[in-house]
Amino acid sequence: MNARQLEIFRAIMRDGTLTAAANSLGISQPAASKFLHHLESQLGYPLFDRIGGRLVPTMEANLLFADADRVFREIEALKSLARDIGAQKIGLLRLGISLAVTYSVLPKALLHFRAKHPEVKVHLHALPKREIAEALLLGDIDLSITLSVIEAPTVRSEILSDVPIVAVMRADDPLASKERIGPSDLDGMPLISYGAHAEIGAAMDAAFASCGRQREVAIQIASSVGAVPLVREGLGIALVDGLVAWHGFEGLVARPFEPHIAMQMVAATNDARPASRFVRPFLATLRDVL
C-alpha cells in the first residue's frame, strides 16, 4: 500500500462512495476505481462489498482503517514539517557548550534567541572541551562554544571575547577585602585551579614565576564551576575564569587576578559537516549578550 492508495482508501472509508471520494480528491471516478482494484489485487482480498450501488467496508477494511488513518495523518504532519523547515519556521540547533559558558552568558543568549525563533528545537550538550571537540568532528553538534581553540583541519574558529582569570574565595576570607589578588597574596594558600597541561595553565605558571613564585595546585579541576562546593567548604581559593557569574553563588566573591591573564571564548563549526541554518542567528544573539 503506497501513499496514494492509502489516501484513496481513507477517502472511500470516510465518504462512503467512489464518486464522493473521487470528488474530494479531485480525480475522476474511474481513476479512483482503478486505484481501489489495484490495491485489492495487491492485498489479495476485497476491502469493500458492492451492495446496492454502495461500497460497504469488509471486516479487513475496518481492521486496516484505524492504522491507515493514523499513518495518513502522520504523513500529512511530516509534509507540514517539511514545508515549515523549508520556510525556516522551525529547525534544530545542536550546541556543545563548556560548563563555564552554560553558567554565565548562555541562558540569556538562549532566552533572546528563542524569543526570535520560538519553533527552533535546541539540543544542549554541556561537556568538557575534549568531548565537545569529538562531537563537533563527528557532526553530533552544529556549534561549539569553549574557552580555548579546538585545533583540527576542518574546524573554523572565531574568538568571541577575552575571559580574564579571577580569584574566587569565600566572602568571609580576609583576602576578600582586597580589590585585586596577586601571586604574593596566595602564599601558603591551597589553590584550586586548572592543571599545568591546560591551555591556560602555562600562562598562569608564568605569571607566578614572574613574581618569583611557583603555582602549586592543591586541587585540580577541569571546569571552573567545579570549584564552587570546594571553595564554599574552605578547601582553598580558586583561580579560574571570570566568565561565570560568581556573584550569583551565595557566600562567594571573585576578585581580579594580577598580572592580567585571559582565556578566550571561542565559537567553532566544522566545515566538513552541514551546519544548522540557525548557527549564524544564534551567534549574533550571543555577541549581543556579550
Side-chain angles (χ1 to χ4, degrees), residues 87-169:
Q88 298 191 20
K89 291 180 180 178
I90 68 173
L92 175 64
L93 178 62
R94 302 168 302 166
L95 302 173
I97 310 290
S98 292
L99 283 173
V101 181
T102 304
Y103 277 82
S104 54
V105 296
L106 180 66
K108 185 172 289 187
L110 280 178
L111 181 66
H112 293 319
F113 175 77
R114 287 189 53 78
K116 296 177 182 177
H117 306 280
E119 299 301 320
V120 176
K121 296 181 184 297
V122 177
H123 289 184
L124 173 60
H125 304 269
L127 300 167
K129 180 195 167 184
R130 183 180 298 178
E131 294 181 33
I132 290 175
E134 181 179 350
L136 184 65
L137 293 173
L138 290 174
D140 292 337
I141 59 175
D142 302 302
L143 174 69
S144 72
I145 308 292
T146 57
L147 293 185
S148 59
V149 174
I150 294 175
E151 301 286 355
T154 61
V155 171
R156 179 177 299 179
S157 298
E158 174 189 349
I159 296 174
L160 299 176
S161 70
D162 284 341
V163 180
I165 293 295
V166 298
V168 179
M169 64 204 75

Side-chain angles (χ1 to χ4, degrees), residues 167 169 175 178-187 189 191 207-208 211 213 237 239 255-260:
M169 64 204 75
L175 289 179
K178 296 179 67 70
E179 291 187 3
R180 298 179 180 276
I181 303 296
S184 60
D185 297 313
L186 300 172
D187 282 344
M189 298 283 187
L191 286 184
F208 274 73
C211 298
R213 287 168 170 79
I237 292 177
L239 289 182
R255 298 289 181 261
F257 180 77
E258 286 188 344
H260 176 79

Side-chain angles (χ1 to χ4, degrees), residues 7-26:
E7 184 180 28
I8 291 171
F9 168 63
R10 181 173 177 268
I12 297 171
M13 291 290 289
R14 181 192 62 210
D15 299 333
T17 68
L18 273 172
T19 300
N23 288 338
S24 67
L25 296 175

Side-chain angles (χ1 to χ4, degrees), residues 170-210:
R170 286 167 50 134
D172 59 1
D173 192 291
L175 289 179
S177 62
K178 296 179 67 70
E179 291 187 3
R180 298 179 180 276
I181 303 296
S184 60
D185 297 313
L186 300 172
D187 282 344
M189 298 283 187
L191 286 184
I192 301 166
S193 191
Y194 313 111
H197 66 280
E199 286 88 343
I200 193 64
M204 296 175 74
D205 289 342
F208 274 73
S210 68

